[in-house]
Every structure is written in C-alpha cells, then in structure tokens.
Amino acid sequence: MAVFRNPAYQQSSVTLWLFFASWGVWWSFFQIWLTSEENGLGLNGSQVGTVYSANSIATLFVMFFYGTIQDKLALKRHLMILAAVGMACVAPFVIFVYQPLLKHAFGFGVVAGMLFIPIGFTAAAGLLEAFSERMSRTYGFEYGQARGWGSLGYALAALVAGFMFTINPMINFVAGSILGILCLLVQIFWKTDKVPTTPGHTAHPATPSIREIAALLKVPSLWQIIVFVIFSWTFYNLFDQQMFPDWYTGLFDTKETGERTYGVLNSGQVFLEAGMMMAVPILMRKTGPRNILLLGVTVMSLRILGCAIFDDAVTVSVIKMFHAVEVPLFILGMFRYITLHFPTKLSATLYMVGFEVSAQVGNAIFAQPFGALRDRIGYQETFLVIAGLVTVAGLWAFFSLKKDDQDVQGDPFLRDSRSGEEKPVAGETSAVGETSTAGE
C-alpha cells in the first residue's frame, strides 16, 4: 500500500507506537500500583481519587499550553521533544521522588505528580494525537491508520506489563523510560521536511492569532462539545482508570492471578482496538462523524452498565472488550467532528480544549468525590451511577450535536457513495475548494 511508503506516516506511526507503549507499560497498572497492598502503595479510594483529581487539574493547564503553542508552531516539534524528555525521565522520577513522597508525605507526592506526569503523559497524549492528525492532513494519510499503531504499542506493552508488575512494579517504570528515550531520538533525528504535501496544504500553514484562540471560548458549539465530553468521556475514564482495574483483579482467587490476567486481557483488548482504529475511518465514510460519536457513547454506556450488573470474571472479561470498539469510535469521531465544524488551523487548540482539557476538568471535579462514593457504596453501585450519567449525556448529544452538513467551517466531510466514489454530504460542495487551503 502507498501509505506505508509515506515517510510522514512512518514517522507518525513510530512516534505514536513508542509513546503509547511507554505510557501503557506503567499506566495500565497505575491504579493497581496505587491501591495494592502487596505490590504497591495501599492507598484507599479517596486517596486515589485525590491523586487522579490533582493530576487532572495540572493536566488541563498543560494541555491548554500545549494546544495553543502547538497551533502556533504548526509542525515544528519543540513540544514533542519536551514531552519525550518527560517520558524518558519517568523511572527516575517514580523511584526517587514520587513513590517515597506518596508513602511518607502524601500531599507533597500529589504535588510532585501534578508537576511531572502531565508533561510527558496525560497532557502529552492529546498533543501527540493532535500533531499526528495535522500531519495526516498535511501529508496525505489516514490519521486512524497511524493512531492504530499507538494502540498496538499500548497492547504490546500491556501484554508484558502484568508479568513485570508481579515481579517488581519498578520494572514497568524503567521500561517506560527506555521507550521514552527511543521516542525522543525519533523526534530529534527523523525529519519529514522533504515529504510532498497534499494539494491545498502546506508544511508551514498560517498560524492562528491569540485573539482567534481566545475567541473560541465564546463559541456556543464548543461549549456543547465540552459539556458532552465532561459527562461522557470523563466518567468513562473515572470508571476505566480509577476503579475498574482493582475491582477486576478482585474477581479472582488471588490478586496476583488477577493482575496477570488483567495484563493479558488488557493487551488483547488493545490489539483489537488497534484494528478498530484502522477500520473506523472506513465506517465513518459510510455513516458520518456525528453517528460515529453517538455510536461510541452508546457502546461506552453499555460497557459500564454491564460491569454494574455482572460480577463473574468471564462475563466481565468479555464486556471489557467493548472498550476496543468504544475508544476508536469516540476519539476518531471527535477529531473529525472538530475538523469538520471548526477551522482546521485551530485543530490542536480545539482538540485540547474541547476534548482533552474538558475531560480533565471533569476528572479534577469528580475523581475525588466518586472515589469517596466508591468507598461508601461499593464498586458496582458506583458503576451504575456512572452508567446513568453517560446515558443521559448520550441522549443530550443526540439532540445537540450538529449534523455533518450543518455549519461546515473546516475540512468538508466526504461520504462514500454506493458506487464507491466519494461525494460531499449535502451543503458541503461550495466549501470544498476553500476550506482545504484556508483551514491549514
């Protein structure tokens, strides 16, 4: 396939593979590390909620910085290099700073995590995704095909993470640093300046002004996205990251068996997610971004509800596979919805503010209270509350999100016709020639 010969696609794919592998090898067991008495710190639900809430507060500020600056930098890699340095330093930070402080001076440990983790990981995820999506439009490849390699990297890391974790959790963090060093080398030495750009795009696009970026906060449709994300993606992350791992490993006879099984299952789920990342763009060309988003939030709600109802390991393992479908639907649908209805030169800021930052705002607000709620009423009862909130968010989105032919200000969406040719959806034809150049 021609895309595999595209150097920009190759560089983007390798970057995402290394980043998600560096993150996944320790992040997939982060909640278990925080709560485990045998292999971790033994924190309670309220303390874990405080850690996640504090990290989210810091993440939203770093994300806003990343988004606004990256839109000014376009395809320059200064922030990518900064993020990779953070990835490379994760093991020294955890071993010599984070773990001792969380054990002996919890408040200082929380603050240390706030200052470090967003730079290399929780905020960097949105940065790398937005950068890769801009690369895909500039150099002519499907973003989902590159992002799928990120999911594959996470899957491979998660496959071995469970076995390393039961030996010594610090091995996971060391592996994260090694992968981070490799990602840093890719950012410094692998250039794409000579790659031909797609028609109507440039490797040095016009950059938005501070006034344009600030004006986004006055746009009602952006706030619709923010509300939708806070009450869907935020609560899904609370469920999937802050609660599910410890609950799932508790379904087995021993925690060690649960942790190893969770690692293998998590890996299998993300392998499937990688395939879905590559398949969803094909499905999206048939159905449109809005329908993809609505399908994503539906699957999200069903997965949380399933875990609230069932408590046997086999059934829950099957339900966890819904994650592999939901994440590509939601992330790719959100990216395309943003680049369809907003100017694409603001895509990094919009993705950071509309999706990543708003999710972190929700985490900052709800992580600690829902951690305390879990301590009070239990895991499955909390899952039921979260499932109800996500369902309401999905119903609200059905009536509030714009249709694909409404208010097209970015790259028009081209839907496959039955004959196999791409045709713009109704209302887009006049915008095709204008938006590709102006948007970049």
Side-chain angles (χ1 to χ4, degrees), residues 11-209:
Q11 196 275 348
S12 184
S13 298
V14 171
T15 295
L16 290 171
W17 192 98
L18 289 169
F19 168 74
F20 280 100
S22 175
W23 193 16
V25 76
W26 66 271
W27 183 253
S28 58
F29 279 81
F30 183 62
Q31 190 261 356
I32 296 175
W33 178 66
L34 292 175
T35 57
S36 175
E37 297 284 352
E38 297 82 9
N39 290 319
L41 304 179
L43 303 182
N44 61 37
S46 181
Q47 288 175 311
V48 172
T50 299
V51 170
Y52 276 91
S53 179
N55 287 343
S56 294
I57 291 171
T59 295
L60 68 91
F61 286 106
V62 178
M63 278 184 170
F64 189 78
F65 167 79
Y66 273 167
T68 54
I69 298 302
Q70 191 58 55
D71 271 334
K72 302 292 289 183
L73 294 174
L75 291 176
K76 295 177 182 177
R77 299 184 192 171
H78 300 73
L79 294 182
M80 302 283 283
I81 292 172
L82 174 62
V85 170
M87 295 160 57
C89 294
V90 64
F93 169 75
V94 170
I95 294 170
F96 299 112
V97 179
Y98 199 40
Q99 179 175 250
L101 286 178
L102 286 177
K103 279 185 174 180
H104 306 295
F106 179 75
F108 287 106
V110 170
V111 173
M114 290 176 66
L115 297 176
F116 178 84
I117 292 176
I119 293 173
F121 296 99
T122 52
L127 169 68
L128 269 69
E129 289 177 328
F131 189 90
S132 178
E133 195 276 335
R134 188 187 292 272
M135 287 264 287
S136 72
R137 287 183 283 110
T138 303
Y139 295 113
F141 60 87
E142 285 279 6
Y143 164 69
Q145 293 179 331
R147 179 59 176 78
W149 288 102
S151 296
L152 184 62
Y154 196 102
L156 291 171
L159 181 62
V160 299
F163 296 94
M164 294 191 298
F165 185 85
T166 55
I167 298 171
N168 188 334
M170 294 303 108
I171 299 174
N172 298 61
F173 294 106
V174 171
S177 278
I178 293 171
L179 291 162
I181 292 170
L182 294 176
C183 190
L184 176 60
L185 295 175
V186 168
Q187 303 318 303
I188 295 173
F189 296 110
W190 192 340
K191 307 297 184 183
T192 57
D193 299 343
K194 307 297 183 182
V195 180
T197 59
T198 55
H201 292 74
T202 172
H204 305 284
T207 59
S209 66

Side-chain angles (χ1 to χ4, degrees), residues 298-350:
T298 301
V299 176
M300 182 188 299
S301 179
L302 290 174
R303 187 203 161 184
I304 302 171
L305 181 61
C307 291
I309 296 172
F310 300 100
D311 60 1
D312 65 283
V314 175
T315 304
V316 172
S317 297
V318 173
I319 293 171
K320 180 170 170 52
M321 290 297 131
F322 286 17
H323 181 96
V325 179
E326 175 264 321
V327 168
L329 289 171
F330 205 90
I331 290 179
L332 298 183
M334 181 60 68
F335 253 128
R336 194 61 186 94
Y337 184 89
I338 287 172
T339 58
L340 173 63
H341 296 293
F342 298 90
T344 52
K345 67 179 179 179
L346 297 167
S347 60
T349 301
L350 285 161

